[in-house]
Amino acid sequence: MEIHRLESLTQFTQRYVALWQQRYGHAPASHELSGLASPCIVENRDECVLWLPQPFLPAATLKQVETAFDIVLRPEGHAFYTQQYAGDMPAQFAGQDLTLLQVWSQQDFIRLQQNLIGHLVTQKARKLSPTLFLATVPAETAVISLCNISGNVLLEQLGSTQRQLLSPSLADFLLVLQPICPD
């Protein structure tokens, strides 16, 4: 299976890193990821880690999710989670605060795949169309997700049919997404 790069993810990540460097003079920092191994780590400081995105090596896909669930996932879904190692990135979309989820390490990738399978199993049990979560939002009962059928990016109320269209595509969503960092 050939997976294409998601150039808009690279561009968003570059904007995110540039914002951190402009505001704080260093790479993005995370307290939550401190102590967890990753190819992204550029420096450990006190109780936080500074990181920069790194290529996802060795190359991978979400094939195990497809196999476990007997589903074909959209190419942009594969690319989103297997293009780079990076920390999760806070952002805003049309005034909505969110945290864009990323893969921190190979071990994190295994956990992510298990969580995606669990998400898809729950959706199937509730007879909902399949989605891949992309970001969390402050409301714990909702996520931003990629519809595996249409390719739309949605604000999805978990366990419900309630879904709000945010963007017609993941690439478009990432292009207008605004990075934020703490004050």
Side-chain angles (χ1 to χ4, degrees):
M1 168 188 293
E2 182 180 336
I3 302 299
H4 301 283
R5 274 186 62 79
L6 193 56
E7 225 22 72
S8 54
L9 177 59
T10 300
Q11 292 168 3
F12 172 77
T13 306
Q14 289 169 345
R15 292 192 316 271
Y16 183 80
V17 169
L19 177 64
W20 269 87
Q21 293 187 342
Q22 176 186 16
R23 185 167 291 168
Y24 300 110
H26 59 73
S30 173
H31 293 283
E32 295 82 14
L33 297 171
S34 182
L36 300 174
S38 171
C40 299
I41 297 171
V42 294
E43 185 179 337
N44 288 297
R45 287 190 180 175
D46 300 318
E47 295 179 15
C48 75
V49 62
L50 304 186
W51 63 269
L52 288 173
Q54 297 298 314
F56 199 104
L57 297 173
T61 67
L62 296 172
K63 189 70 176 160
Q64 288 184 329
V65 175
E66 291 181 324
T67 301
F69 203 71
D70 195 25
I71 190 172
V72 174
L73 299 175
R74 299 186 66 85
E76 63 268 37
H78 285 277
F80 181 78
Y81 279 119
T82 64
Q83 181 168 303
Q84 65 184 14
Y85 289 111
D88 295 343
M89 297 177 275
Q92 276 193 342
F93 179 85
Q96 169 72 60
D97 287 343
L98 61 96
T99 300
L100 197 66
L101 301 173
Q102 289 291 279
V103 175
W104 182 243
S105 64
Q106 188 60 38
Q107 184 176 3
D108 189 36
F109 184 58
I110 293 167
R111 182 190 57 78
L112 167 79
Q113 291 177 90
Q114 293 167 344
N115 289 340
L116 286 171
I117 291 167
H119 179 72
L120 290 166
V121 166
T122 300
Q123 288 181 317
K124 185 174 183 177
R126 294 188 171 145
K127 297 182 170 70
L128 300 171
S129 58
T131 62
L132 298 176
F133 51 79
L134 305 169
T136 59
V137 296
E140 293 181 14
T141 58
V143 294
I144 293 178
S145 59
L146 173 68
C147 178
N148 197 55
I149 296 169
S150 67
N152 293 336
V153 174
L154 311 166
L155 177 61
E156 175 181 355
Q157 298 300 317
L158 294 170
S160 135
T161 58
Q162 187 178 353
R163 295 175 175 182
Q164 175 188 348
L165 176 66
L166 298 179
S167 180
S169 74
L170 180 54
D172 290 344
F173 174 78
L174 292 167
L175 285 173
V176 298
L177 195 60
Q178 294 301 310
I180 57 176
C181 57
D183 293 324

